[in-house]
Amino acid sequence: MTTGFFHDERCLWHGGGNYAQMAPVGGLVQPIAGGGGLPEDPETKRRLVNLMNVTGLMDELHVASAPPLTREDLLRVHPADYLDTFKATSDAGGGELGRRTPFGPGGYEIACLSAGLVAAAMEAVLNGSYANAYALSRPPGHHALPDFPNGFCLLANIALAIRRTQARRLCQRVAVLDWDVHHGNGTEAIFGDDPDVLTISIHQENNYPLDTGAFETEAHANLNIPLPPGSGHVTYLAAMERLVLPALARFKPDVIVVACGLDAAVPDPLGRMLATAETFDAMTSQVMEAATTLCDGRLVMAHEGGYSEVYVPFCAHAVIVRMAGARAKAPDPFADIYAKRQPAADFDAFAEGRINAMAQTINSKR
């Protein structure tokens, strides 16, 4: 079996509206040179695809697109009135729904395609076509609530994929690990009362959304792991080792799905963390080992955030190379610089103390 890579150029045509970073253009907020828009633009994904073509990684994967999700698929998560409003606004030339989720003409169809890529990747892994798979989904999905899009997310991509594969009886118990720098509030809310879906979110504390993501034990099969700003390689691997991997082992999923946000990386404009391509490589190795032990290696990655056009491609390339055991190489051009920007030992000790306290709280409640 090979690694599947699900991608469609049409997802890169999703429009982000008239923004300058996170501020609507107008008044004293100037447009960004060259058109600008939201940080969630296509270039991080397009440059990843370009890098994969140049290194030869694409030749070592099974590359495919997928059909968009149908209305029947969408209704398993999103109510009809939301879908109707989204479709009508899209057909009328685009607009904005919820909080900072603008889209242009055809935005509804592109969002359905993005969710379709994740669903197809998950189904292909569950039916044994691939050992694992990566879906280059755009727009992202982990912030989307059933009837309120936010944080650039219009449809709940991972939740929709889970509900479809469950409906087709391909799996029952699913673990979602979200290592995007922002809390996976949408995924958590959708599965908050579902004991068959474990949601784990490692994120920067008090980033986005501001009112969600505090540490919680595994009530309703949810675990939030807020890390202090400035956390780097050592802290992320400690969080994986002491909190994430034990939670996965206790849950015993049929498949692991990773919300693969890459915005915890050093240069990201929407995060204040110090992860590197090596960090994402190492976390991928950890979760692959867990998947091998718990669910015959069944692992799906769904692309989420990540806003450094230069660095995201190297982080994602490292993840996919690790998944595929590929020969292709894309050495991190900033490895030496970012190694020197890692936290001091006393900060790592402070952050690990926070992690140990969370682990002790969980163990005390078992």
Side-chain angles (χ1 to χ4, degrees):
M1 291 186 292
T2 59
T3 294
F5 183 73
F6 288 79
H7 163 60
D8 195 297
E9 171 66 23
R10 289 171 291 177
C11 286
L12 305 187
W13 290 36
H14 168 62
N18 196 20
Y19 274 77
Q21 294 291 327
M22 297 292 286
V25 171
L28 297 179
V29 179
Q30 304 173 51
I32 295 176
L38 287 174
E40 202 292 297
D41 68 31
E43 284 308 299
T44 53
K45 276 67 69 174
R46 184 169 280 128
R47 288 170 69 104
L48 167 60
V49 171
N50 292 342
L51 181 64
M52 293 168 66
N53 281 322
V54 169
T55 64
L57 177 56
M58 202 71 84
D59 296 332
E60 299 187 64
L61 308 172
H62 189 282
V63 182
S65 181
L69 290 192
T70 65
R71 185 176 175 87
E72 178 185 4
D73 295 324
L74 301 180
L75 286 169
R76 294 191 182 99
V77 172
H78 297 285
D81 57 350
Y82 170 64
L83 297 176
D84 292 342
T85 300
F86 184 9
K87 180 68 164 66
T89 307
S90 175
D91 290 347
E96 184 166 354
L97 301 174
R99 181 186 301 131
R100 292 187 176 88
T101 50
F103 51 94
Y108 177 86
E109 286 75 17
I110 294 173
C112 291
L113 176 57
S114 178
L117 294 175
V118 180
M122 188 171 178
E123 186 164 327
V125 169
L126 287 168
N127 68 23
S129 297
Y130 307 126
N132 52 48
Y134 193 104
L136 190 59
S137 41
R138 178 177 185 263
H142 73 143
H143 293 308
L145 299 167
D147 60 353
F148 187 79
N150 66 106
F152 316 147
C153 302
L154 289 154
L155 296 175
N157 298 336
I158 289 174
L160 288 162
I162 291 171
R163 289 304 190 213
R164 190 175 81 161
T165 51
Q166 287 176 329
R168 296 182 177 186
R169 302 187 184 281
L170 293 171
C171 66
Q172 179 177 349
R173 293 173 66 79
V174 181
V176 181
L177 168 59
D178 189 330
W179 61 45
D180 189 287
V181 80
H182 307 110
H183 174 229
N185 62 302
T187 314
E188 176 189 314
I190 290 165
F191 296 113
D193 295 319
D194 187 340
D196 285 331
V197 180
L198 170 66
T199 54
I200 306 173
S201 179
I202 310 176
H203 49 269
Q204 180 184 321
E205 186 175 37
N206 296 327
N207 186 322
Y208 181 90
L210 289 174
D211 56 347
T212 68
F215 170 64
E216 296 178 12
T217 57
E218 292 165 280
H220 305 301
N222 179 69
L223 175 60
N224 285 331
I225 307 171
L227 299 179
S231 296
H233 184 82
V234 170
T235 299
Y236 270 90
L237 297 195
M240 289 286 293
E241 185 68 32
R242 297 172 199 175
L243 292 169
V244 173
L245 300 182
L248 293 174
R250 289 191 294 270
F251 185 73
K252 297 180 176 60
D254 300 324
V255 59
I256 299 172
V257 182
V258 175
C260 187
L262 302 166
D263 38 12
V266 177
D268 200 275
L270 298 188
R272 294 296 180 267
M273 299 304 228
L274 299 175
T276 66
E278 181 185 4
T279 310
F280 291 107
D281 178 15
M283 291 196 296
T284 302
S285 180
Q286 287 175 308
V287 76
M288 287 180 68
E289 183 175 350
T292 299
T293 301
L294 299 170
C295 50
D296 295 327
R298 290 187 288 270
L299 174 66
V300 179
M301 297 270 185
H303 198 95
E304 292 285 353
Y307 309 101
S308 170
E309 294 180 8
V310 174
Y311 201 50
V312 163
F314 289 95
C315 294
H317 194 283
V319 168
I320 299 167
V321 164
R322 177 63 61 182
M323 292 176 70
R327 298 181 299 276
K329 303 296 181 186
D332 180 354
F334 305 104
D336 292 342
I337 297 171
Y338 291 164
K340 295 175 182 177
R341 293 187 64 181
Q342 289 298 298
D346 56 351
F347 180 93
D348 282 336
F350 160 73
E352 289 191 60
R354 292 266 301 268
I355 290 168
N356 289 337
M358 294 183 217
Q360 289 171 4
T361 299
I362 291 170
N363 290 335
S364 70
K365 295 179 179 294
R366 291 180 57 201

